[in-house]
Amino acid sequence: MRVVIAEDNVLLAEGLNLLLSSAGFEVAATVSDAPSFLAAVAEHRPDVTVVDVRLPPTFRDEGIQAALAARRAGPGLPVLVLSQYVERTYARELLRDGRGGVGYLLKDRVSRVETFLDALRRVADGGTAMDPEVVAQLLVRRDGDPVDTLTPRELAVLRLMAQGRDNAAIAATLVVTERAVHKHIGNIFQKLGLTPDESGHRRVLAVLRYLGGDRDQPAPGVPGR
C-alpha cells in the first residue's frame, strides 16, 4: 500500500516513515509543505495519504487546504489528517463529498501504534476514522435532521461506527451481541433512508450523515419509529 506523508516536524516525519515501512506500507514520499504534497500525490498516486493540518509557511491551514485540493483533483483520495486541534470547518469540508476515505486524528490522543495503523488501513479502504473529540465537535444538528429519529442505543452504535469500530468492537464496547449490533445498524440505515442500492458504502454514508458531512444534500424521507 503506497503512502505519501506531509509533515513538517522532522522527527515525527521520520518516525512515521519508519513506522509505516516496518508495518509493510510503501512510503512513496515524505514532504514538508503543501506544494510538495500535491506534486507527490500527482506523481505517485498513493493509496492513502497522511497530512498534518498546519504546514509552512504560515502554519495555519496549508495542510488541510492541500488535502482538500488533492481530493478535488482525485475524488475519493484517502486522507488521514493529523492535528493538534479540531479544525471543525475543514473536517466537515473533507466529509462533504460523501466519498469516505477520511480520517481525522488528534496527535496527542494517538497513544497506540496499532490504533493508528488500523485507522490508516480503514481510511485507505474508503472508511472513516474519527477521533471521538472530532466527532463531538462536529455534532451540530439542524432541525428535522433524520439522525434525531435514532434511539439512544442506535446513536451509540453510530458514534462508534464514526470512530471506525467494526461490529465486533461495537458489541464489546456496548456489552451486547453482534447480532444486536447488526439489527441496530439495519435500523439506522432504514431511518436515514439508506437503501441497499444506494451508491457508495451505506456504513460510510451513515457516518457522514451523522457527522453532518452531507448537509447540502436533501434529507431523505424518514419512516416513523
Side-chain angles (χ1 to χ4, degrees), residues 39-121:
V41 168
E43 177 183 353
H44 299 288
R45 300 189 179 277
D47 301 300
V48 65
T49 61
V50 180
V51 185
D52 189 354
V53 167
R54 301 184 178 191
L55 293 174
T58 68
F59 296 97
R60 295 180 61 189
D61 60 1
E62 284 87 348
I64 196 77
Q65 291 284 14
L68 290 169
R71 278 176 69 91
R72 286 193 293 270
L77 173 73
V79 173
L80 177 59
V81 171
L82 294 177
S83 178
Q84 295 284 2
Y85 314 98
V86 179
E87 305 282 357
R88 189 165 60 186
T89 299
Y90 294 126
R92 184 169 288 122
E93 192 67 25
L94 277 172
L95 293 163
R96 191 178 299 278
D97 64 13
R99 295 178 180 270
V102 173
Y104 200 123
L105 301 180
L106 300 182
K107 292 179 180 179
D108 292 343
R109 292 165 59 94
V110 179
S111 58
R112 295 179 55 210
V113 167
E114 200 53 44
T115 299
F116 172 75
L117 294 175
D118 286 346
L120 188 61
R121 293 186 184 104

